[in-house]
Amino acid sequence: MSKILVTGGCGYIGSHTIIDLVENGYEVISVDNNSRSNQVILKGVEQITGQKIKNYKVDLCDFDDTYAIFQENTDIEGIIHFAAYKAVGESVEKPLMYFENNLVSLINLLKCVKEFNIPYFVFSSSCTVYGNADEIPVTEKTPPKPAESPYGYTKQMSEQIVNEFTKSSGMQCIILRYFNPAGAHPSAIIGEMPLGKPQNLVPGITQTAIGRIEKMSVHGSDYPTRDGSCIRDYIHVCDLAHAHTLALKYLKDGSNADQCEVFNLGSGNGVSVLEAIQSFEKVSGQKLNYELGPRRPGDVVAIYANNDLARSVLGWDPAYTLDDIMSTAWKWEQRLKADETVFSNQSGELN
Ligand code: WQD
């Protein structure tokens, strides 16, 4: 059985990807220092898959600790690298923390790839690398503009590091540019667990609806868009997860034409903030308490994906709709409220 190392395996996209990998026959181990995640999520993964997933609670910025994982697991065939800080606003306040964490962890991993001849590497990137694109929908060939935040720069720089590294090694790599990941596993056993007040729209909507947030603010209603609010491409986390399994298969089959290929992972549909709210109100049957507030610095006006390449080359076919995103996110938020004790347990054990 092929063993895959998932970094950030206790995170939102990492945990959902582990489920898809296991369901497709992979053996998976995780490395996650739990600085932004809770190991309890792997109990949920185990509940869904029946597989106990080992997590190495290691900071990838510590080279020796990272190296030791590979010494202990000499049969790692591939790495899916999620672990990174990803809060746009925080990155503006603490740029050095973002550059150090996101780049040193990647470089340490690639040093181990070199040392242990790991053949396959899938890198978690983001549509943020496009900045305020001149043309939308964006394709993989759309030239990147200056990033809107240090977080965005770490993704642009990481892509360059990975690309350059493949030229000096035998590593075969796929870079996946996520648009806006959202929603939760349909079982409502796992989902997004933002630390503190959520920055992202969908958890902001569901936490407002459940009463954890008094009133949500729409960040800007005077943009040059069809209803004045920003346009994004929301993609269900389970669709996103499956794309990673397809990317690994593509590499293992030797189908990749180049050593480092890039794919957009978005639904291909542009949705405004107000349209997203309308979708939530429709599926939940609840009116959302929100106001039209000021613009948020760093926001791009509109971006959504041309996902033809992932569809035609990887065979990716995103199945979940915007309504599915909202209904699964809402079901998960209601589960979190019902089982507050379950997720407040920091020991990582499900009560
Ligand atoms: C979406 C839209 C907000 C909250 C970022 C990163 C991207 C990825 C996803 C990591 C924007 C508006 C939001 C709220 C609002 N991160 N909004 N009220 O900024 O498009 O993307 O997160 O992988 O790389 O750049 O996502 O969900 O924060 O915002 O009006 O309470 O919703 O202004 O227009 P974003 P988001």
Side-chain angles (χ1 to χ4, degrees):
M1 188 187 283
S2 181
K3 181 184 274 187
I4 304 297
L5 172 66
V6 172
T7 76
C10 297
Y12 173 45
I13 306 172
S15 54
H16 285 80
T17 300
I18 290 176
I19 291 170
D20 201 89
L21 288 168
V22 169
E23 288 176 346
N24 283 277
Y26 287 95
E27 182 186 356
V28 180
I29 54 173
S30 165
V31 53
D32 193 317
N33 66 0
N34 297 138
S35 63
R36 302 287 170 98
S37 62
N38 187 323
Q39 200 149 277
V40 74
I41 206 145
L42 293 183
K43 297 292 174 195
V45 171
E46 186 178 344
Q47 211 175 319
I48 294 167
T49 64
Q51 295 289 317
K52 193 168 179 54
I53 303 295
K54 178 178 179 55
N55 179 59
Y56 288 84
K57 191 166 182 173
V58 160
D59 184 345
L60 295 171
C61 289
D62 183 314
F63 177 72
D64 292 342
D65 287 352
T66 303
Y67 189 89
I69 297 171
F70 290 86
Q71 279 182 311
E72 190 180 317
N73 297 273
T74 53
D75 53 349
I76 291 172
E77 191 183 19
I79 298 170
I80 303 183
H81 181 39
F82 293 105
Y85 293 157
K86 63 134 195 155
V88 173
E90 183 186 45
S91 77
V92 173
E93 290 159 28
K94 302 174 183 171
L96 294 183
M97 184 178 89
Y98 268 67
F99 287 120
E100 181 176 43
N101 182 70
N102 291 5
L103 300 182
V104 170
S105 55
L106 173 64
I107 291 166
N108 281 346
L109 263 185
L110 294 177
K111 285 180 179 174
C112 292
V113 166
K114 186 92 176 171
E115 182 70 22
F116 293 91
N117 291 312
I118 310 293
Y120 309 120
F121 194 87
V122 178
F123 178 66
S124 164
S125 189
S126 165
C127 62
T128 201
V129 303
Y130 293 111
N132 242 320
D134 295 332
E135 51 158 20
I136 50 172
V138 292
T139 72
E140 291 80 359
K141 298 251 184 295
T142 299
K145 301 287 284 296
E148 298 290 324
S149 67
Y151 159 73
Y153 277 116
T154 68
K155 289 300 181 184
Q156 287 181 342
M157 296 158 88
S158 295
E159 288 196 5
Q160 288 170 346
I161 291 168
V162 164
N163 211 334
E164 286 307 313
F165 175 74
T166 54
K167 294 174 186 169
S168 67
S169 80
M171 183 180 89
Q172 305 296 310
C173 175
I174 297 270
I175 292 173
L176 298 176
R177 290 177 181 162
Y178 311 152
F179 282 70
N180 286 60
H185 192 271
S187 66
I189 292 172
I190 68 166
E192 193 168 6
M193 296 173 78
L195 297 176
K197 188 175 186 306
Q199 295 303 303
N200 293 135
L201 178 64
V202 174
I205 288 174
T206 58
Q207 287 197 15
T208 302
I210 204 96
R212 290 181 67 178
I213 295 172
E214 172 61 32
K215 178 184 283 189
M216 201 193 88
S217 172
V218 172
H219 298 325
S221 56
D222 60 350
Y223 283 101
T225 63
R226 53 183 175 265
D227 63 15
S229 64
C230 289
I231 290 177
R232 294 289 185 276
D233 181 331
Y234 299 95
I235 182 71
H236 196 282
V237 65
C238 291
D239 279 326
L240 208 56
H242 189 55
H244 293 76
T245 305
L246 293 173
L248 268 181
K249 181 179 185 311
Y250 176 69
L251 291 176
K252 282 165 64 71
D253 292 350
S255 309
N256 54 315
D258 301 321
Q259 262 191 273
C260 187
E261 295 185 17
V262 181
F263 295 94
N264 282 342
L265 295 185
S267 68
N269 304 313
V271 168
S272 77
V273 175
L274 293 173
E275 290 163 350
I277 290 172
Q278 284 149 22
S279 168
F280 174 80
E281 291 182 330
K282 180 176 66 170
V283 301
S284 67
Q286 284 202 201
K287 282 296 289 168
L288 190 75
N289 186 22
Y290 69 90
E291 65 188 356
L292 301 180
R295 294 183 177 193
R296 178 174 71 174
D299 272 338
V300 299
V301 181
I303 186 165
Y304 60 96
N306 174 317
N307 63 9
D308 293 347
L309 205 59
R311 283 181 177 279
S312 59
V313 173
L314 298 181
W316 187 55
D317 182 18
Y320 291 85
T321 64
L322 178 66
D323 288 354
D324 295 330
I325 285 173
M326 294 302 175
S327 58
T328 54
W330 181 227
K331 197 174 154 196
W332 167 244
E333 190 67 61
Q334 292 172 300
R335 162 99 201 278
L336 276 177
K337 182 166 178 64
D339 296 350
E340 258 162 2
T341 51
V342 169
F343 297 102
S344 61
N345 172 349
Q346 293 305 318
S347 70
E349 293 302 320
L350 275 180
N351 288 345

